[in-house]
Amino acid sequence: MKFIYSVIIAMLLSNTGIAQEKTSNAQYPWLAKSGKFGYCNLEGKVLIQPEFDGGDPFKNGYAVVCKNGLYGVINEVGKVIVPLKYPSLQIYAKGVFTLAIYKTESNARAQFWKWKLMPEFNVLSTSNKGPFLSTSVPRATWTIKSLPDDQVIFKETREEEDKDRTQYWRKDWEPSRGIPSYIHLSSLGNTLKVGDNLFVRNADHQLKKVAGNVLELIDDTSILAFNKEQYFKLNIKGEKQNKENFTMVDSILLHVNPDKIITVLKQNPGMYPFPTIADFIFKNNEGKTYLFPDLNKPFPTQIQDYKRGTELVPAAEILAHAVLISSVPDSKYFLVLAVFGKINERRMLLLDGDGNWNTEIPAYEGLDQMLGSGEMLLTRSVKKGILTRNLEFKTFPFDYRAHHTDFSKNMFSGKDAVSKKYGIYDFSKEKWLVAPVYSYLGNEVVPGIIIYTLAKEDNSTRKEWYGLLDMESNQQITPPVYDTIDYNSRVTKTENGTQISYYINPRTGQEYRE
């Protein structure tokens, strides 16, 4: 049973964007000489005639297209599924779920109490550079529609959420077109969470709401719901699993010796905005403390001092200087990252459920992130490598930080300490899969295919050129001839002084254009 874990790094970098599959169906956007986009099959045969100003690759049988700055959705035969009338539209395609998320913009001028009188009046200079009266009250309505059943599962209108909203009376002001932070989507198996509502897809392929007041998915069989200040587990049918209740708290009380108790705050004021404990903290009706989503592994209440070799550090010192505490998935350990002892660096410790520190391994420096599998990536110090689940440290030959590839297990891209070039290293085999000869290696666009760059001289100017590389065969799918390549295999290329943008097949390199 897999838990949903946030990827955690020392500086608490997190992925807050909406998860989307990076693969596409057999139809690709095809660029005509007219500058319009249609769609073709893998061989480049045009199936949908070019009539769009822009288009994205198909996801689960649907594609976002654009005309005159407005967006809609078509299916694989070119039928319009969502009209092209929205200023912002994205497709969420993950597993069995395909959702169209789009925005409608309006102006609630009738709400006269929100009008602004001389909004740019300066008291000191008594000048007003703006309008005398602004009657604009910009509003945004966000809708989420399930495809193909055409079922609206979310619709909400709010005032525009934009960092520059205070300037909306200006003529050059434009509303934000990104999906707002209050829309939160997550899915696992046949369950989908939209806001605080839980949906399941039934045998008729319809989405059915089974629960409200849902905080988060725990795993593929259970969710955490709430009623006022009480939290409890439900199954995916919306039924309560047991009598256990939880209360959300913002700190943990710990005994560090028989007569001393310390408090570890979720948010240490000295570390704002980075929380010490990134996920929710819960206390059940028996008084046991848990770090979400691991609600089956209580955090220890009595913590022993750390002793390894000649080093002896009181538990109070470690916990007082902790910068990160998290549960390690599918293990008996909790991760504690702290500055302690004589070394003024963040060091990684593993704490078990009985409050004992693991002293079989050293307190490693340089934690970069904890992977979803529970393995620890350490590339911020002199010794670089990965600590496996069986606590074996495997060294990396990298000069600096390593990056886990998007799809391929055990593969990391990074700069070789000797050649100072980028390659792909397979830590399970402890060897280079792709020799370090590249200026840079970027994302995997599809499993096994990665973006690379090589530097070349162009009119005495050094420039990075982009191409695609097959990691397994170590063969270049395209030569380095593109100005850019993105994760959707959309390229830009300058021809006759004009930069054009179109799509290529990520596995063959075939260009989809006239």
Side-chain angles (χ1 to χ4, degrees):
M1 182 181 298
K2 293 185 177 180
F3 290 93
I4 305 171
Y5 281 87
S6 303
V7 175
I8 301 175
I9 62 176
M11 295 301 294
L12 295 179
L13 297 175
S14 61
N15 180 5
T16 61
I18 292 181
Q20 296 188 9
E21 290 187 344
K22 296 182 180 178
T23 57
S24 62
N25 288 333
Q27 293 184 352
Y28 289 84
W30 183 85
L31 177 64
K33 291 181 178 179
S34 64
K36 298 293 184 179
F37 281 90
Y39 284 84
C40 64
N41 62 13
L42 286 171
E43 290 73 35
K45 179 182 178 180
V46 177
L47 302 177
I48 299 173
Q49 294 303 311
E51 59 174 294
F52 305 107
D53 298 334
D56 293 342
F58 275 85
K59 296 178 180 179
N60 290 356
Y62 300 93
V64 176
V65 291
C66 174
K67 279 185 181 180
N68 302 319
L70 297 176
Y71 296 84
V73 176
I74 62 172
N75 65 13
E76 290 178 305
V77 297
K79 180 181 177 181
V80 175
I81 303 301
V82 178
L84 282 75
K85 63 178 185 179
Y86 300 102
S88 177
L89 192 152
Q90 295 185 33
I91 286 181
Y92 174 97
K94 189 174 183 182
V96 299
F97 299 106
T98 308
L99 309 174
I101 308 167
Y102 52 89
K103 179 190 185 188
T104 304
E105 295 171 352
S106 59
N107 200 324
R109 286 190 173 90
Q111 297 181 3
F112 60 87
W113 58 92
K114 294 184 179 179
W115 294 358
K116 298 288 185 181
L117 180 65
M118 293 191 294
E120 294 191 45
F121 178 74
N122 189 308
V123 177
L124 297 179
S125 64
T126 66
S127 64
N128 179 37
K129 297 180 180 179
F132 177 76
L133 178 66
S134 173
T135 60
S136 295
V137 185
R139 306 272 284 175
T141 299
W142 283 92
T143 303
I144 301 178
K145 179 181 288 188
S146 174
L147 303 175
D149 47 298
D150 201 35
Q151 180 181 354
V152 174
I153 59 175
F154 178 92
K155 188 172 185 177
E156 186 168 322
T157 301
R158 295 191 185 187
E159 292 186 4
E160 284 283 0
E161 183 179 272
D162 187 82
K163 64 180 181 180
D164 299 320
R165 187 181 175 280
T166 54
Q167 306 293 320
Y168 63 79
W169 49 80
R170 293 189 172 185
K171 292 182 179 179
D172 59 350
W173 176 81
E174 291 187 1
S176 174
R177 299 287 164 74
I179 295 176
S181 57
Y182 63 81
I183 295 181
H184 180 259
L185 296 173
S186 58
S187 61
L188 191 62
N190 287 319
T191 60
L192 170 71
K193 179 181 177 289
V194 181
D196 60 2
N197 293 319
L198 184 73
F199 298 85
V200 296
R201 189 171 291 284
N202 59 26
D204 297 327
H205 303 290
Q206 294 286 318
L207 284 182
K208 179 184 178 182
K209 179 181 173 180
V210 295
N213 293 341
V214 174
L215 179 69
E216 194 52 87
L217 305 176
I218 299 175
D219 53 38
D220 54 0
T221 63
S222 58
I223 60 175
L224 189 66
F226 61 90
N227 182 11
K228 296 182 180 179
E229 296 182 357
Q230 291 296 307
Y231 296 80
F232 41 86
K233 295 180 185 178
L234 302 179
N235 60 28
I236 58 174
K237 295 181 180 180
E239 302 166 338
K240 195 170 182 179
Q241 289 186 339
N242 52 45
K243 296 182 179 180
E244 188 176 27
N245 291 324
F246 300 89
T247 302
M248 189 181 295
V249 296
D250 58 7
S251 63
I252 304 176
L253 295 178
L254 298 172
H255 296 262
V256 292
N257 60 45
D259 57 357
K260 185 174 182 180
I261 298 176
I262 66 170
T263 301
V264 177
L265 298 174
K266 175 179 174 64
Q267 177 66 72
N268 186 328
M271 289 179 55
Y272 184 83
F274 304 109
T276 302
I277 303 173
D279 289 310
F280 305 116
I281 309 172
F282 289 103
K283 183 172 288 188
N284 72 357
N285 39 13
E286 296 180 355
K288 296 180 179 179
T289 301
Y290 299 85
L291 305 186
F292 188 82
D294 208 337
L295 299 180
N296 295 312
K297 183 172 66 178
F299 198 85
T301 56
Q302 181 78 44
I303 312 297
Q304 304 301 317
D305 293 341
Y306 177 80
K307 184 177 181 180
R308 186 175 190 270
T310 59
E311 185 175 28
L312 175 62
V313 184
E317 178 184 337
I318 296 172
L319 296 169
H321 296 89
V323 296
L324 177 66
I325 299 176
S326 179
S327 176
V328 179
D330 299 324
S331 90
K332 67 179 182 178
Y333 290 113
F334 295 90
L335 167 68
V336 178
L337 189 69
V339 179
F340 64 93
K342 298 180 180 179
I343 302 175
N344 190 30
E345 296 287 345
R346 293 186 176 99
R347 302 164 70 189
M348 183 195 81
L349 293 172
L350 296 178
L351 179 69
D352 68 21
D354 294 324
N356 299 308
W357 304 100
N358 184 306
T359 55
E360 297 177 3
I361 59 172
Y364 289 109
E365 303 168 38
L367 178 67
D368 187 16
Q369 69 182 82
M370 179 170 68
L371 305 177
S373 59
E375 292 166 323
M376 307 293 172
L377 181 62
L378 300 104
T379 58
R380 293 175 178 265
S381 63
V382 175
K383 188 174 183 179
K384 298 174 175 62
I386 192 165
L387 185 67
T388 65
R389 290 190 59 80
N390 61 3
L391 304 184
E392 177 184 2
F393 190 90
K394 294 193 174 183
T395 303
F396 281 158
F398 293 134
D399 176 62
Y400 186 52
R401 297 178 63 185
H403 300 276
H404 194 277
T405 53
D406 297 85
F407 302 107
S408 302
K409 186 179 179 181
N410 301 331
M411 306 297 177
F412 290 83
S413 66
K415 183 189 288 187
D416 178 36
V418 178
S419 68
K420 307 301 181 183
K421 297 290 186 178
Y422 281 80
I424 302 291
Y425 191 79
D426 184 341
F427 87 84
S428 64
K429 297 179 181 179
E430 298 185 81
K431 68 176 186 179
W432 290 101
L433 180 68
V434 174
V437 297
Y438 295 96
S439 299
Y440 188 72
L441 291 171
N443 298 324
E444 271 183 286
V445 293
V446 294
I449 309 298
I450 199 165
I451 300 170
Y452 74 89
T453 70
L454 283 175
K456 295 190 295 185
E457 297 291 333
D458 184 19
N459 297 326
S460 300
T461 302
R462 180 182 171 89
K463 180 179 178 180
E464 297 288 337
W465 297 88
Y466 288 70
L468 292 180
L469 176 73
D470 186 313
M471 292 163 48
E472 191 64 36
S473 65
N474 198 12
Q475 297 294 315
Q476 293 181 4
I477 295 174
T478 73
V481 296
Y482 298 106
D483 297 333
T484 63
I485 302 178
D486 72 12
Y487 72 91
N488 271 329
S489 301
R490 182 167 187 153
V491 303
T492 58
K493 190 176 185 181
T494 303
E495 295 182 349
N496 301 320
T498 301
Q499 190 176 73
I500 57 176
S501 180
Y502 54 92
Y503 290 84
I504 64 175
N505 187 313
R507 297 200 177 278
T508 66
Q510 180 177 353
E511 295 184 337
Y512 293 131
R513 62 170 178 159
E514 190 173 10

